[in-house]
C-alpha cells in the first residue's frame, strides 16, 4: 500500500513539473492586442458561428470593506450601474442605512463617476459628501454604514 502511494506521488510530481514546463514554454508565444470597443471577434467553430463584442479593456470593481458582506466584490461593466437595497438595482446591498435606490456609477469613456440618487444618508467619497464625483482607483465610498473601495484596473 505504501509503495502504491509513493508511485502516485511521484507521478503527480512529474505531471506538475511537466505542466510548469509547458506553461513556461508557451508564455512567450502569447500575443495580446488592445482592441477598440467596437471591434468584433468573429470565428467559426465545428458547431456554430458566434460573434462577440469585446468588453472594455479597463475593469472597475466595488469591494465591500465594512458591512455585513465584507470582502464581497462587484464588477462594474455597464455604462450605468445602480446601487441600493431594492432587487431592481444592479448592485444590491441589504443594509437599513442604504437607501432603496442610493447611488449609481456612470462610466463615460475610461472614467467612472458616482452620483447620489437623493439618498437619505448621502454618498461620501474619501470622507466628503458628494452629489456627483469622479472616481479614482482606491477611492473610499460610503453609502450609509457600508464602506466600499473603488478599484479600476
Amino acid at each position: 500500500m505504501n509503495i502504491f502511494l509513493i508511485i502516485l506521488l511521484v507521478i503527480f510530481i512529474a505531471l506538475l513539473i511537466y505542466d510548469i514546463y509547458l506553461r513556461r514554454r508557451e508564455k512567450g508565444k502569447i500575443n495580446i492586442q488592445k482592441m477598440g470597443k467596437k471591434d468584433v471577434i468573429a470565428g467559426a467553430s465545428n458547431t456554430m458561428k458566434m460573434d462577440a463584442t469585446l468588453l472594455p479593456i479597463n475593469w472597475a470593481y466595488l469591494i465591500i470593506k465594512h458591512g455585513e458582506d465584507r470582502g464581497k466584490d462587484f464588477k462594474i461593466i455597464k455604462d450605468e450601474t445602480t446601487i441600493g437595497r431594492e432587487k431592481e438595482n444592479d448592485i444590491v446591498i441589504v443594509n437599513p442605512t442604504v437607501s432603496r435606490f442610493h447611488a449609481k456609477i456612470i462610466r463615460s469613456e475610461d472614467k467612472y463617476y458616482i452620483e447620489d440618487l437623493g439618498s437619505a444618508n448621502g454618498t461620501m467619497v474619501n470622507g466628503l459628501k458628494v452629489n456627483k464625483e469622479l472616481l479614482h482607483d482606491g477611492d473610499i465610498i460610503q453609502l450609509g454604514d457600508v464602506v466600499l473601495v473603488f478599484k479600476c484596473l
Side-chain angles (χ1 to χ4, degrees):
M1 183 76 171
N2 287 337
I3 294 176
F4 179 72
L5 291 175
I6 292 172
I7 292 172
L8 282 178
L9 183 62
V10 169
I11 292 171
F12 175 75
I13 291 171
L15 288 173
L16 185 63
I17 292 170
Y18 185 66
D19 181 60
I20 293 170
Y21 165 75
L22 289 177
R23 288 175 191 250
R24 288 189 178 181
R25 193 177 93 195
E26 294 293 323
K27 192 174 187 180
K29 295 181 181 180
I30 297 173
N31 184 14
I32 298 174
Q33 298 176 1
K34 185 173 180 179
M35 302 178 89
K37 292 181 182 180
K38 302 292 182 183
D39 290 342
V40 175
I41 297 174
S45 69
N46 292 336
T47 56
M48 69 176 88
K49 184 173 180 175
M50 297 179 64
D51 293 335
T53 304
L54 292 176
L55 292 172
I57 295 298
N58 62 327
W59 293 95
Y61 292 87
L62 285 177
I63 304 167
I64 297 179
K65 286 295 183 185
H66 179 72
E68 286 184 30
D69 293 327
R70 183 177 183 190
K72 187 173 183 180
D73 64 341
F74 305 94
K75 188 183 296 184
I76 301 168
I77 57 175
K78 295 170 63 178
D79 288 336
E80 285 194 3
T81 303
T82 58
I83 308 167
R85 269 193 345 252
E86 287 290 319
K87 292 181 182 179
E88 289 82 21
N89 288 292
D90 300 307
I91 297 174
V92 178
I93 300 175
V94 182
N95 184 297
T97 62
V98 175
S99 293
R100 293 182 308 124
F101 297 94
H102 199 106
K104 68 179 172 179
I105 300 214
I106 303 161
R107 181 179 66 202
S108 177
E109 297 178 10
D110 288 341
K111 296 181 181 177
Y112 291 86
Y113 298 86
I114 189 162
E115 182 178 333
D116 187 77
L117 298 175
S119 63
N121 292 319
T123 299
M124 297 177 72
V125 176
N126 297 324
L128 300 173
K129 193 169 186 175
V130 299
N131 287 324
K132 186 173 183 179
E133 183 72 22
L134 175 65
L135 293 173
H136 303 282
D137 184 47
D139 279 350
I140 304 297
I141 299 169
Q142 186 169 346
L143 309 174
D145 290 340
V146 178
V147 178
L148 305 112
V149 68
F150 175 76
K151 296 300 288 178
C152 187
L153 307 176

